[in-house]
Amino acid sequence: MKIARIDLGGTARVAVVERDHVQPLTSAVSMTDLLAASPSEARNLVVRNADGPVLPLSEVRLLAPVDPPTLRDFLTFEEHLEGSLKLLGADAPLPVWYEMPLFYFSNTNAVVGPDATVAVPPGCELLDFELELAVVIGKPGRDLTPERARDHIGGYTLFNDWSARDLMAPVVPFGMGPVKGKDFANSIGPWIVTPDELEPYRRDDRLALELHAKLNGVPLPAGGDNSANMAWSFEEMVSFASRGTELRPGDVLASGTCGGGCLLEYWAHTSADDVPPLRPGDVVTLVADGIGAMSNTVVAGVDATPLPRARVGRTRRHRDWTPVRSNR
């Protein structure tokens, strides 16, 4: 089942997508209701709550299928990791990458849906996109094993982790994350596909979806990647994310960029002169087997508001100090 959120008369409504048509549901049904249900229960909910006529998909405005309470973005594709390291001048990833599926928290307030515009963030000259898959949690869970985690995955969707590479570069070494480099837009969509519909794409107990991106309608020359190449499965990622904390319905966990799924990897081998960064008017389209396609158009942003440098001389009162040691 493909479950979308649509704008119906100015109100967000859950709807089911079948081929090129959409069936709106009553406001009594939420996205999390359907994601938590079994396939048969979900079908019964749809039958009982169909609201009005079936609509052509081309005449409906799709919204982001979920407003996630939390949004974790992982780094699970080794090819993307290698390209990133080359651009940073590093020889190999830190050993911890092989020990656990690493992630950072992204901005849930910056989520947009398919066909929404994405403004160039203030001060950015190297705007990039990132082709990713994501899972949406359907049932709450804590301290899950990978086997149990599968039952908590409500569905799969596409995710575009937009990146201001030049805003990230000076701050990432500080160790607090990408700061404003990834604070402005996260695209999710076009809908959520329930796990039962993607079972035919499983290979060796892993989801194997072909992924590729288009820029202004032209496929990127690298040819994309396959989700089977993820170093960690989604079940393992969900298990790790649930350690010591509760995952809740609607939470989103993204795979990280697939190989060849962003401009950064091209810049690692050539330069931004040969493969220019995104500019206003560019249309980025992400495509995944079994899910579909999601497009967004880049538009001009605003200038950065200038800020003064830190008042270091006034704030460093204790120049000679020693760390407080614990007695435990």
Side-chain angles (χ1 to χ4, degrees):
M1 184 178 294
K2 293 181 174 68
I3 313 169
R5 281 202 314 154
I6 64 173
D7 182 339
L8 194 63
T11 302
R13 295 280 285 276
V14 177
V16 174
V17 179
E18 293 186 9
R19 297 184 177 86
D20 56 354
H21 286 80
V22 176
Q23 174 61 68
L25 304 182
T26 66
S27 58
V29 178
S30 69
M31 176 64 73
T32 53
D33 289 336
L34 291 175
L35 295 181
S38 68
S40 60
E41 291 170 341
R43 285 191 292 270
N44 288 335
L45 280 172
V46 170
V47 170
R48 294 199 307 268
N49 290 277
D51 187 27
V54 173
L55 304 173
L57 181 59
S58 59
E59 297 180 10
V60 170
R61 185 168 79 90
L62 294 172
L63 307 173
V66 63
D67 288 324
T70 64
L71 173 52
R72 293 169 174 85
D73 198 6
F74 288 74
L75 177 58
T76 64
F77 284 92
E78 195 167 12
E79 184 177 340
H80 174 68
L81 176 64
E82 290 173 353
S84 301
L85 291 172
K86 182 172 182 178
L87 199 66
L88 294 171
D91 295 327
L94 294 174
V96 68
W97 185 83
Y98 298 96
E99 302 300 326
M100 63 187 75
L102 303 178
F103 67 87
Y104 71 94
F105 283 96
S106 196
N107 187 357
T108 58
N109 294 328
V111 169
V112 299
D115 301 318
T117 59
V118 172
V120 178
C124 175
E125 296 292 337
L126 292 177
L127 179 61
D128 199 357
F129 65 90
E130 299 199 17
L131 167 56
E132 307 188 20
L133 280 178
V135 293
V136 183
I137 298 299
K139 301 176 184 177
R142 182 188 184 99
D143 295 319
L144 303 170
T145 64
E147 293 73 22
R148 290 174 54 213
R150 179 174 295 188
D151 292 334
H152 293 258
I153 294 175
Y156 296 81
T157 189
L158 281 162
F159 181 71
N160 192 336
D161 174 34
W162 300 86
S163 300
R165 301 297 184 188
D166 49 343
L167 303 186
M168 292 170 55
V171 299
V172 166
F174 195 77
M176 292 185 66
V179 192
K180 299 305 292 183
K182 289 181 179 286
D183 198 30
F184 57 98
N186 294 297
S187 299
I188 302 177
W191 36 67
I192 298 172
V193 181
T194 53
D196 59 298
E197 190 162 325
L198 296 178
E199 278 301 307
Y201 294 93
R202 281 199 172 269
R203 304 288 185 272
D204 298 324
D205 208 33
R206 281 176 178 259
L207 202 61
L209 303 182
E210 290 291 335
L211 309 166
H212 69 273
K214 298 178 182 179
L215 182 56
N216 299 321
V218 180
L220 294 182
D225 205 341
N226 191 293
S227 61
N229 294 326
M230 292 166 59
W232 307 88
S233 70
F234 276 113
E235 290 81 3
E236 290 164 339
M237 293 156 56
V238 170
S239 173
F240 180 71
S242 73
R243 285 185 184 178
T245 192
E246 184 179 61
L247 299 181
R248 297 183 178 181
D251 284 346
V252 170
L253 289 76
S255 65
T257 310
C258 68
C262 65
L263 299 180
L264 175 72
E265 293 181 34
Y266 295 89
W267 298 339
H269 301 287
T270 58
S271 72
D273 294 328
D274 297 324
V275 183
L278 298 175
R279 294 287 183 257
D282 284 339
V283 179
V284 176
T285 302
L286 310 185
V287 184
D289 279 350
I291 294 179
M294 174 176 66
S295 295
N296 294 99
T297 301
V298 178
V299 297
V302 300
D303 294 334
T305 301
L307 294 175
R309 290 176 60 84
R311 297 184 296 172
V312 176
R314 298 185 183 185
T315 58
R316 268 177 36 188
R317 294 184 298 168
H318 304 292
R319 297 177 183 275
D320 298 320
W321 62 278
T322 55
V324 176
R325 297 185 180 275
S326 173
N327 292 325
R328 292 182 294 175

